[in-house]
Amino acid sequence: MRESTIQHTIEQLKCCVIVPTYNNHKTLQRVLNNVLQYTKNIIVVNDGATDTTKNILAEYEQITQIHILKNTGKGNALRKGFKRAISLGFDFAITIDSDGQHFPDDIPLFIETLQNSENKNLLLIGARNMNQESVPKKSSFGNKFSNFWYWAETGITLQDTQSGFRLYPLKAIEKLRFYTKKFEFEIEVIVKAAWLGVAVKNIPIKVLYDETERVSHFRPFKDFTRISILNTWLVIVTFLYIKPRDLFRRLKKKGLKQFFLTEVLGNNDSPRKKATSIALGLFIGLSPFWGFQTILVLSLAVVFKLNKTISFVFSNISIPPFIPIIVYVGLKTGSFILNEELPSFDNIQQNLEILKNLKTYIVGSFTFATIVSITIGLVSFLFFSIFSKKDTFT
């Protein structure tokens, strides 16, 4: 696609380019000149640079500029850039680093991919070849680390989650609330975008690591610690809120009958995997893991590669109407095994006698959970095996 065509398409799509910069005076001018070949819709965010950045930007009066007095972090610079882009009426923003590692002639790749996509609610991340010799080993390791956690938090597999060369859908970004302001922001934004329903994808780009020009402001210990804390929080939110939310949305949309037919019976998993997923859900739901059942069942389903949806659904057997029955059966089973007298529920309510009978309840609860999960698991396996055979012959 020719430059004139790209320029026209960028205007049609209401797209701009945001360039966050901090003490990259060696490469900034080259980056801006190359971006100007494709569009004049550029927003430069000077994040408190102490070098000659201001003098360089003084030569570009045609470019929208934001000058932050004191360095606050790349995430804050991007957030300010997004805010200005939205106020100027842009629908999309391409972000490109000013340290020279990205090639502005890859901008047409983002534009063509967006133009050809039916779904414009799209966030594109430039995927670098992290195996080439010039790429620092710490960058390659950090990217793999980030890719894993992104998959855990969203279920989406990406080749590169750390590249700063991206295309953002601003209407979706405007709906999100962010808390981070430094390098970890670029993780927060793509995770929350995926949670919102934005399609997050990689496209291949070129990359250059020239240590004679490139200035990296990444501080391994501090920034890696920030990223680790953020990922820990995002994983907790994923298991306690996002996955249950998405499941209940599908359940509400399809209805209970249709949900069971499509998510359970119609699932392509093997009968053994489905039955084991049910057994896991029942065991966690009936065991005394109050308050931790959701995160436990989803974590174990991931570890053992089971069906997370099925496991989660059956773990919700311990809903409020059933809790008194489950507790009673647990105590009854425990008192039978330990040959103890069943405690009175009147005493339990009045004198907190449940604490004195905790051993009885825990033994009985785990025993009951084991019996039920194994029994229902075996019955489910037989049912799914028969169902799959019938489905094969029809």
Side-chain angles (χ1 to χ4, degrees), residues 282-293 296 326-327 358 361-367 369:
L282 289 172
F283 179 79
I284 298 297
L286 294 171
S287 297
F289 296 120
W290 309 110
F292 299 95
Q293 290 172 333
L296 264 177
I326 293 171
V327 172
L358 191 58
Y361 171 64
I362 290 176
V363 170
S365 181
F366 278 117
T367 303

Side-chain angles (χ1 to χ4, degrees), residues 104-365:
D105 61 13
D106 279 332
I107 288 176
L109 294 175
F110 289 89
I111 298 302
E112 290 171 14
T113 303
L114 176 64
Q115 186 183 32
N116 296 331
S117 176
E118 291 184 10
N119 179 17
K120 294 294 189 287
N121 192 26
L122 182 66
L123 195 160
L124 299 173
I125 303 175
R128 304 160 293 176
N129 179 6
M130 303 301 289
N131 296 320
Q132 62 189 59
E133 291 183 7
S134 62
V135 177
K137 289 184 179 180
K138 62 180 181 180
S139 297
S140 180
F141 169 78
N143 190 52
K144 291 177 181 178
F145 179 83
S146 179
N147 294 347
F148 169 78
W149 286 114
Y150 186 74
W151 167 80
E153 292 151 4
T154 66
I156 300 171
T157 301
L158 293 179
Q159 178 187 342
D160 190 347
T161 53
Q162 290 193 316
S163 171
F165 203 173
R166 305 176 176 187
L167 181 142
Y168 290 94
L170 294 176
K171 289 181 180 177
I173 298 300
E174 191 177 14
K175 297 176 183 177
L176 299 172
R177 180 179 294 181
F178 302 109
Y179 299 97
T180 57
K181 293 186 176 182
K182 298 189 182 294
F183 282 105
E184 67 271 19
F185 169 78
E186 289 186 298
I187 296 172
E188 182 185 16
V189 65
I190 60 174
V191 170
K192 289 187 174 179
W195 287 352
L196 189 66
V198 175
V200 183
K201 298 180 180 180
N202 277 141
I203 59 171
I205 60 167
K206 301 183 292 293
V207 66
L208 172 67
Y209 283 91
D210 187 346
E211 297 302 328
T212 62
E213 287 187 327
R214 183 172 177 264
V215 179
S216 175
H217 303 291
F218 186 84
R219 301 161 300 177
F221 180 75
K222 287 187 177 180
D223 290 316
F224 191 76
T225 300
R226 288 176 181 272
I227 290 170
S228 297
I229 293 171
L230 174 64
N231 277 320
T232 300
W233 171 245
L234 292 175
V235 166
I236 292 172
V237 174
T238 297
F239 285 111
L240 292 184
Y241 175 68
I242 298 299
K243 288 189 178 295
R245 179 205 67 179
D246 293 344
L247 180 61
F248 282 122
R249 282 180 177 176
R250 296 203 303 273
L251 178 60
K252 184 178 179 181
K253 183 178 180 180
K254 294 181 178 181
L256 185 60
K257 181 180 178 181
Q258 191 62 29
F259 181 86
F260 182 77
L261 290 173
T262 56
E263 299 282 347
V264 181
L265 292 183
N267 190 280
N268 292 324
D269 290 336
S270 66
R272 180 180 179 181
K273 187 172 183 178
K274 290 179 185 177
T276 307
S277 301
I278 290 174
L280 173 66
L282 289 172
F283 179 79
I284 298 297
L286 294 171
S287 297
F289 296 120
W290 309 110
F292 299 95
Q293 290 172 333
T294 297
I295 193 168
L296 264 177
V297 75
L298 292 175
S299 299
L300 291 172
V302 169
V303 170
F304 293 110
K305 298 180 180 179
L306 300 177
N307 187 302
K308 296 185 289 295
T309 300
I310 295 176
S311 294
F312 175 77
V313 168
F314 281 88
S315 72
N316 280 276
I317 189 172
S318 56
I319 56 178
F322 295 155
I323 289 176
I325 300 173
I326 293 171
V327 172
Y328 175 78
V329 174
L331 286 168
K332 184 78 173 175
T333 305
S335 62
F336 174 78
I337 293 172
L338 298 175
N339 196 25
E340 295 178 354
E341 185 179 350
L342 181 67
S344 168
F345 270 72
D346 291 334
N347 291 334
I348 288 173
Q349 292 175 352
Q350 293 173 9
N351 304 317
L352 298 178
E353 287 293 316
I354 186 64
L355 296 176
K356 296 180 181 179
N357 294 279
L358 191 58
K359 178 183 176 182
T360 304
Y361 171 64
I362 290 176
V363 170
S365 181

